Amino acid sequence: MSNARTPGVRAGSLLLLLPLQAASVAGLGLLVTGPLAGRWPLSAEDDVNRALADRRGDLATALSDAVSLLAGTESVIALALVAVLALLLVPRVRRWRDAVFLAGAVAAQSAVFLLVTTVVGRARPDVSHLDAAPPTSSFPSGHVGAATALFGGLAVLAAGRLRGARRGLVVGLLLLVPPAVAVSRVYRGMHHPSDVLVGLLNGGCTLLVMAYALLLSAPGTGTRAGFPAPRNRPDDADGSTRPSAAALDPSAPCGERAVPRRAVVVRHPHGCDDGAAARVRALLHLHGYTGQVWTATTADEPAGALAAHLAEAETALVVVCGGDGTVRACADVLSGGAIPLAIVPCGTGNLLARNLGLPSDPDTALREALAGTAVGLDVGRVHGDGLAPTRFTVMAGAGFDAAMVRDASARLKKRLGWAAYVLSALRHLGDPRMRLSVRLDGGAPLERRARMVVLGNVGSLQGGLPLLPDARPDSGRLEVVLLDPRGVAGWLAAARHLLTPSAAQTPGPRRSPGQDRRAAHGALEYFSAERIDLRFARPQPRELDGDAIAAGTRLTAEVEPGALRVCLPGPGPVGAPGAAGAAGVTGAAGAAGDPDGARRAARPPARTGRPDGAH
């Protein structure tokens, strides 16, 4: 079969999953109305409906009416039609594949719903109904399925098109609609709780099938289907002026324009499209980098031809347009040298940029970095069986988190961003614990069991979740956390601890090697050291800065203090958002609750090159 025909054939074969989905939902309905009807929790559903009916109030009833109306047949058809027409007709928005995906998801969900109701006959709850009951079965909820297909489909499209905080806000609001509809339908006495849960499942499965069939099978390699693939061009036509030695002065601001200088730009072809590349080129030219050499990353060369370009001529700056994996690969080349690195966050996670307080908008991040100064930051050097010595800037890990990274769909990451990791994580919640030993700074091995182990140079995950609250990229140490929740209660305790600012976001007291700190009833265990040796009883999945590496039984990491020079925004007014640089490289996440910050600010710079007063 030729490659040209593969996407269409694959899309058609994936759509064959819809009849299987209909059969599965129908089978589930026959179980609910048959052998499982008198068993818990189904036996308690009538009590839930009666309890809600007895507690109805005017305000809640009015709100439920509005939400149910939003998911009614007429409303869903009208909203879907408006969205599809907008995708097809509005200039600069035209996306026929997105339009077919949205319309197909709504239609396919409805078809599955109607097929199931012809097989499963379930009476509506024995309470007063606030809506006229249609002649269809109560199982599954058509309102909830339609809302999931429509608003969930819009959330998928928004996640692929929007950027920054706006994407999180819009996607979050859209994803709140289906559960709100589910609650309103139970409240109004129209469905049992199991009806709305299967309605959510029906709509969600339909979205997955249609997304894989119509969005993720699209040909093309650009950030979005239909965009031309970026080219690896050595750039700029306006000259390749060799800078003088003064251009390499490490104390000069990153954007000093005194002399023409040479910059090497490493571009991830999927994360940085042609428009973003043009803006980066213009900003660099404006700041005096008239000699620009561009190189694209590949699977075999994650840093592009960076090392070769650095050997060709004196270089004053390296700019990385990509995510944490691209930054890590470039840091491995630059560590220990004097050439500073400017980060243009264009990846899925961009955790290093977030931990350093860089703006999430790529243009703003580069503009502020060029106006700032170069700051020495730590990197971790890691090796193990099947892993040649390399470096990481964010985190390394093994176990649950590495399996999540390994199995996250590359195509879903393009469409959904970091939310694709959440879907992957759900698949591994039941993975078995691993047996491992932890040796800190050459001390005695500590025998443990855990779901995962993470070594961190910085501490915060997406959304500012403080996985390693003590981690700072200028501390001269690496932080370690073992996650070992036991059962549902353990997972809830760990989540509560990490989501509680007073518990997780305030750094604990500095620990000596081998001294641990436990939290969340033992679900979390923290260590700190300059060198960490991990040994696993069985080969475990491993990851570096969000990139999966080969599974293995060993992982050794040690810190290289101040080894990487990174251009960071200069210090702003006290309390200014995003202020970083020489006065606090980790931004608000690292400085919050630090009682020793004022004393550290008065210290002279460390000989390792770490910034003066960095928190």
Side-chain angles (χ1 to χ4, degrees):
M1 184 178 297
S2 67
N3 290 338
R5 296 178 57 192
T6 299
V9 173
R10 181 184 178 190
S13 61
L14 285 170
L15 291 177
L16 294 177
L17 292 173
L18 291 174
L20 178 61
Q21 175 185 328
S24 300
V25 175
L28 186 59
L30 293 175
L31 288 175
V32 168
T33 57
L36 299 181
R39 299 188 179 184
W40 191 90
L42 296 178
S43 60
E45 287 193 306
D46 289 339
D47 294 335
V48 174
N49 287 108
R50 282 191 289 268
L52 289 174
D54 291 342
R55 291 169 174 79
R56 288 171 181 164
D58 293 340
L59 178 59
T61 299
L63 288 174
S64 70
D65 184 41
V67 173
S68 285
L69 180 63
L70 185 64
T73 302
E74 297 82 0
S75 299
V76 168
I77 293 175
L79 292 173
L81 183 60
V82 169
V84 168
L85 290 176
L87 288 168
L88 292 176
L89 302 178
V90 175
R92 302 183 66 182
V93 175
R94 292 173 183 154
R95 298 288 297 278
W96 70 268
R97 191 177 292 273
D98 290 355
V100 173
F101 157 72
L102 188 62
V106 174
Q109 180 282 143
S110 298
V112 171
F113 162 73
L114 291 174
L115 285 172
V116 172
T117 56
T118 63
V119 177
V120 180
R122 190 183 195 188
R124 297 191 181 273
D126 187 19
V127 297
S128 60
H129 303 154
L130 298 183
D131 295 324
T136 55
S137 167
S138 177
F139 182 97
S141 171
H143 280 67
V144 174
T148 304
L150 174 60
F151 294 98
L154 290 172
V156 169
L157 299 181
R161 297 185 66 89
L162 302 179
R163 297 286 183 184
R166 184 173 57 171
R167 176 169 68 175
L169 177 62
V170 172
V171 171
L173 290 174
L174 289 170
L175 291 181
L176 283 176
V177 175
V181 172
V183 172
S184 74
R185 299 303 288 169
V186 177
Y187 174 87
R188 299 180 69 78
M190 304 308 299
H191 292 285
H192 306 88
S194 59
D195 299 337
V196 299
L197 288 176
V198 177
L200 288 169
L201 178 65
N202 181 35
C205 289
T206 306
L207 279 180
L208 283 176
V209 172
M210 299 302 291
Y212 271 100
L214 296 173
L215 299 182
L216 303 182
S217 61
T221 58
T223 304
R224 300 184 180 97
F227 276 34
R231 295 185 298 274
N232 180 8
R233 45 192 173 195
D235 215 71
D236 248 14
D238 57 348
S240 57
T241 305
R242 298 288 181 89
S244 66
L248 297 176
D249 180 4
S251 64
C254 294
E256 180 61 50
R257 290 178 290 175
V259 293
R261 291 176 297 171
R262 181 180 190 262
V264 176
V265 183
V266 180
R267 172 186 177 185
H268 192 292
H270 294 168
C272 179
D273 60 28
D274 287 341
R279 293 190 295 273
V280 168
R281 186 176 294 110
L283 275 172
L284 289 173
H285 196 281
L286 181 65
H287 284 80
Y289 294 97
T290 55
Q292 298 179 28
V293 177
W294 286 64
T295 179
T297 66
T298 65
D300 296 329
E301 292 186 317
L306 174 60
H309 289 312
L310 294 180
E312 291 173 355
E314 290 180 334
T315 301
L317 179 68
V318 171
V319 179
V320 178
C321 302
D324 291 314
T326 308
V327 173
R328 181 193 66 79
C330 294
D332 196 35
V333 176
L334 294 173
S335 291
I339 301 174
L341 173 71
I343 300 173
V344 181
C346 298
T348 303
N350 304 314
L351 288 180
L352 182 62
R354 294 171 186 270
N355 278 270
L356 295 178
L358 290 172
S360 59
D361 176 68
D363 298 350
T364 306
L366 179 58
R367 188 178 297 108
E368 293 191 7
L370 293 175
T373 55
V375 174
L377 301 182
D378 304 341
V379 297
R381 182 177 175 84
V382 63
H383 62 88
D385 55 320
L387 174 63
T390 186
R391 295 176 175 87
F392 66 93
T393 60
V394 181
M395 297 176 187
F400 170 78
D401 69 313
M404 172 190 71
V405 168
R406 179 194 63 196
D407 295 337
S409 166
R411 288 171 175 166
L412 278 181
K413 286 192 289 184
K414 291 179 188 177
R415 301 297 305 185
L416 303 180
W418 62 268
Y421 292 115
V422 177
L423 297 177
S424 178
L426 295 176
R427 299 169 53 188
H428 294 284
L429 288 177
D431 286 358
R433 301 158 68 206
M434 58 183 175
R435 290 193 294 115
L436 73 157
S437 67
V438 183
R439 187 189 297 268
L440 306 171
D441 291 332
L446 306 174
E447 302 297 331
R448 294 291 189 272
R449 286 181 178 267
R451 301 282 183 184
M452 75 177 191
V453 55
V454 175
L455 320 176
N457 187 43
V458 296
S460 293
L461 301 178
Q462 293 290 348
L465 188 70
L467 180 64
L468 290 160
D470 292 338
R472 299 190 301 272
D474 59 341
S475 65
R477 302 176 73 83
L478 296 172
E479 302 299 321
V480 187
V481 62
L482 299 179
L483 177 68
D484 188 29
R486 310 289 179 87
V488 175
W491 283 105
L492 291 176
R496 183 170 58 250
H497 175 79
L498 293 174
L499 294 172
T500 304
S502 60
Q505 295 179 7
T506 301
R510 177 59 60 190
R511 301 177 301 284
S512 59
Q515 182 182 2
D516 70 311
R517 174 166 65 90
R518 294 177 181 265
H521 308 295
L524 295 162
E525 187 175 12
Y526 299 96
F527 303 93
S528 178
E530 296 179 16
R531 177 186 172 96
I532 301 104
D533 293 282
L534 302 175
R535 297 292 184 271
F536 309 105
R538 295 181 179 179
Q540 296 295 330
R542 300 177 294 184
E543 61 92 8
L544 294 177
D545 286 356
D547 286 337
I549 58 176
T553 59
R554 301 194 309 274
L555 201 62
T556 297
E558 53 190 325
V559 69
E560 294 184 351
L564 180 66
R565 297 177 59 77
V566 179
C567 291
L568 296 180
V574 175
V585 298
T586 57
D594 185 355
D596 299 323
R599 289 195 295 272
R600 276 197 302 272
R603 295 177 183 173
R607 286 183 292 178
T608 59
R610 295 193 297 274
D612 179 16
H615 291 244

